[in-house]
Every structure is written in C-alpha cells, then in structure tokens.
C-alpha cells in the first residue's frame, strides 16, 4: 500500500514545491529554539526505542497550505502568518511563496 | 516586536531551506485531499470574518524537523515518516532532504 503512494521527495528546493494551478502559500509554524517541545521529545524518544538512533533531534510544528485567489499579497500573507496562524511569543513562522 | 523578527521568506525553493550545519530533514504531514479538515476550515472561516477574503482554502498539517547524525538515509527516513510520523490511512507525507 505504501509502495503505491510513495512520499514525494524534494532535494534542496529543486523545482516547484506545490505544482498546482491555484496559487498556494505554505506557512510553517515552528516553536522558537528556546521553547521546549514535549511533542518532539516524545517522538525522539520513540524513535530511539525503535532503533532509529541516527535521529538526534525532533521538533514538531504546524504546516498550513493556503489557497490564494489571484496574486499572493506577501505583506498580507505575512501578517496572517505572524498574527493569526502563529503565537509570536513562542513561535516563528516561515512563509513559502511557491510562485505556482 | 514583529519587525525585529521578520518571517523568513523563501521563493520557489531558492537557496537552502535550513542553512544549518547539522543535517536536517523536514517531514510535512498533510491530510489526504479527500479527508475533511475541520482545523483548516476553522482557520478559513476566521480569515474570512477578519477580512482576508483572498484566501480561499486552508489545510492544516504537521511539520517535523529532524536532526540526523551523519548522512541521512533516505529509505530509513521515508519509513520513519510514513509509518511513525503519519497515519498512512488518512495522511500523506512529504520528505524534504535539505542536503545541508
């Protein structure tokens, strides 16, 4: 079942990340480095117990995919990302304008 | 406060996404398109009420950043992503090997 639905692999940002016709904007919300991440720690502990010792750190965040009508307005999208999708006290946001 | 910590903006995958020294692998877990997304719908509704009518769709997923010791083993990381970080019945995974 997994073979019929392989994960898409992107290397170093080559090619468009979301090759769709509708303009899409990706917002990744990650905890600031100084904020502890119990979810990531739990995943890391589980990976270690399951024998995946090569993974030495895990941080978990949120991933939003926004469909945007017309040309994405970067300033508006940044405001949305920083004030509505993330808590700027504890989280950083990364805005990815796919350009597709 | 936000001005002193602007969101990083990546356009079309130009440049390394995670310019760190430790090899990092990003795993994005998104719901399959046919699975309803109440969280995304709630965000979309809030954006509409707040006047951001340009956003016509929102899907919310999970974003994992893994620190990997040595050279990332793509097959092992794909197995981790597909079987441990995601529920393959309802979720798709996207594996991003940053190469840094």
């Amino acid at each position: 079942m997994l073979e019929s639905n392989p994960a898409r692999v992107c290397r170093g940002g080559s090619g468009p990340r979301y090759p769709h016709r509708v303009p899409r904007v990706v917002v990744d919300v990650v905890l600031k480095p100084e904020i502890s991440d119990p979810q990531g720690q739990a995943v890391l502990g589980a990976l270690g117990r399951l024998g995946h010792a090569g993974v030495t750190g895990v941080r978990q965040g949120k991933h939003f995919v926004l469909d945007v009508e017309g040309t994405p307005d970067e300033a508006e999208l940044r405001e949305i990302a920083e004030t509505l999708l993330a808590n700027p006290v504890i989280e950083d946001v990364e805005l990815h304008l796919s350009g597709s």
Side-chain angles (χ1 to χ4, degrees), chain A:
Chain A
M1 181 174 171
L2 287 176
E3 296 314 307
S4 66
N5 184 19
R8 279 194 282 162
V9 176
C10 303
R11 286 181 185 281
S14 60
R17 188 168 168 201
Y18 287 89
H20 302 279
R21 284 178 191 164
V22 178
R24 294 202 157 177
V25 174
V26 171
V27 179
D28 290 323
V29 177
V30 294
L31 285 167
K32 288 181 187 290
E34 64 269 27
I35 305 293
S36 70
D37 179 5
Q39 291 185 96
Q41 285 296 310
V43 172
L44 180 62
L47 290 177
R49 288 191 297 276
L50 292 167
H52 299 291
V55 180
T56 58
V58 177
R59 302 282 288 177
Q60 183 171 346
K62 285 176 283 188
H63 174 81
F64 295 92
V65 182
L66 278 58
D67 294 331
V68 180
E69 205 173 56
T71 307
D73 177 344
E74 183 180 325
E76 181 185 8
L77 288 166
R78 183 179 294 181
E79 185 199 330
I80 289 173
E82 291 184 340
T83 62
L84 302 174
L85 302 182
N87 176 349
V89 177
I90 60 169
E91 292 170 326
D92 289 327
V93 302
E94 295 173 16
L95 196 62
H96 303 272
L97 306 178
S98 66
S100 62

